[in-house]
Structures are given as C-alpha cells and as structure tokens.
Amino acid sequence: MIREQTVMTNDMPASEAKSGLSAGKIAIVLAIGVAVAAFFYFDLGRFLSLQGLKDNRDYLLSFTETHTAAAAALFVLAYVAVTGLSLPGAVILTLAGGFLFGAVLGTLLVNLGATTGATLAFLASRYLLRDWVEQKFGKWLGPVQQGFARNAFGYLMTLRLIPLFPFFVVNLVSGLTRMNVGTYVVGTALGIIPGSFVYAYAGRQLATINSLKDIASPGVIGAFVLLGLLALVPNLYKKWSGKPA
C-alpha cells in the first residue's frame, strides 16, 4: 500500500504538468479567439482600409505632430497586434507609417512592430500546434524538417522577400518547423525591409493612391521575386557543389 501511494505521488507532478500545459494552450486559444472576434464584431477593420486612412489623415497628422513619441509607440503596438493576431490591415498600417513618420522612420517602426508581432505568431503556432503536427505527420515531415533547419535563413529570406506568400501564413508555418527563434527574428527583420520601405515611401503620397494596385505594380513584384530568388543562391550553390549547407 505504501508502494502504491509512492507511485501515485510520483505520478501527480507529471499529470498536473500535463493538465497545466493543456490549460495554458486553452487559455491562449481563447484569448486569441476573443481578440479576433472583437476585431470583427466592432468592425475595427474599417480603420485599416485605404479610405479609412484617408478620412482620418488630418486627425492622425495633428496627433502625430503634437505627440510624436506617443504616436510612434501606439503605431508599433497596433502593428504588433495586427501581425500577432494575423489580422488584415498590415499593408494599410505600413502606408500610414510612411505618411505619418516619413519613409525611413516609418520603415523602422514598421519593422519593429511587424517583427515583434510575427515572432509572437511564430511562438504561438509552435506552442499550440507543432507537437500535434509532428505526432500526426512526423514520418513525412522528418526529412523536410531537417532540410529546412539546415537552410532556414535562406528559405525564410526568400519567403519574406517575395510578396506572393502571405505574411501571416509564413509566420504560422514557420512555427511548425524546427527553425531557431533567433534565425527567425533576424530573417524576418531583414527580409521585410524592402517591402516595408516601398509601401512606407508610397505612403508619403497618400492622396494620390486610389488602390493598393497602384503600389504593387508588376515591375515592383518582379523585383521582389528576383530578390527572393537571389537569397536562395547560397543554398543552391552549396547543394550543387556538394558542400554541407
């Protein structure tokens, strides 16, 4: 009987830890769900549209000129929330950053907010989903995981540079890999600079923009695709030359 009690006592921490882990995941899912539901229920997306930005341009400019530091902090927090929760509106925020703070400072603020939010989405995806995905599809994903881990930086740079891959999808899928967090942060921060600058620079001419298609012209997209392919060159060279990546 003493032995049974000992075994039960030894099993309790593991059971409690497992229960606590499940409770933690449930709490995170609920928090994300409530935040996303509130965004759509209160129609907050109307503020993250091109027309909404134009309608509020005078107020936003006045507030930024009067409270520059506070405006910059609120802008970064808004960007973190949008990217961290995978909500629509990041492009409009980037335009707003250029319009309110200028192309250079706007790009820096966008980079800070986008990288932070993307990292939070990456970590949430890894914490909530990676173990389940590896249990279900580990046999098929093993070789892919190993290859991606060896060349993670180059692959991530390519995905970030080419605008054909949705930002939030890259965040969530990357979390399912074995990519190092540091590699993810650096790759994201560097990879989004060209796109961020293009949209922030365009934001300076907000009054002349009637559609986002005016910015993302075929020539601009083609340039991003070329940059993304160039980021793969070192990995391809190592593969073809037989050198370890």
Side-chain angles (χ1 to χ4, degrees), residues 1-36:
M1 186 170 181
I2 295 176
R3 183 180 179 183
E4 291 178 356
Q5 290 178 345
T6 303
V7 172
M8 290 177 64
T9 302
N10 291 336
D11 288 344
M12 282 179 64
S15 177
E16 289 177 357
K18 185 176 180 180
S19 175
L21 185 63
S22 298
K25 290 183 177 181
I26 291 173
I28 292 175
V29 171
L30 287 175
I32 293 174
V34 169
V36 173

Side-chain angles (χ1 to χ4, degrees), residues 48-90:
L48 297 176
S49 65
L50 184 58
Q51 190 57 50
L53 180 58
K54 287 185 174 184
D55 291 343
N56 294 282
R57 64 187 301 273
D58 293 335
Y59 170 77
L60 292 172
L61 269 178
S62 176
F63 181 82
T64 302
E65 291 174 357
T66 308
H67 310 284
T68 305
L74 290 172
F75 176 81
V76 171
L77 289 175
Y79 217 112
V80 170
V82 168
T83 53
L85 295 171
S86 303
L87 297 170

Side-chain angles (χ1 to χ4, degrees), residues 120-139:
L120 292 176
F122 168 88
L123 293 174
S125 173
R126 171 164 293 183
Y127 177 65
L128 295 173
L129 298 174
R130 192 177 72 170
D131 290 344
W132 179 82
V133 170
E134 288 192 344
Q135 288 176 3
K136 290 288 184 180
F137 309 104
K139 294 181 180 179

Side-chain angles (χ1 to χ4, degrees), residues 165-190:
F165 301 103
F167 191 77
F168 76 95
V169 173
V170 176
N171 296 340
L172 300 180
V173 172
S174 297
L176 303 179
T177 70
R178 296 172 185 170
M179 185 187 307
N180 180 276
V181 177
T183 299
Y184 178 81
V185 171
V186 175
T188 296
L190 294 178

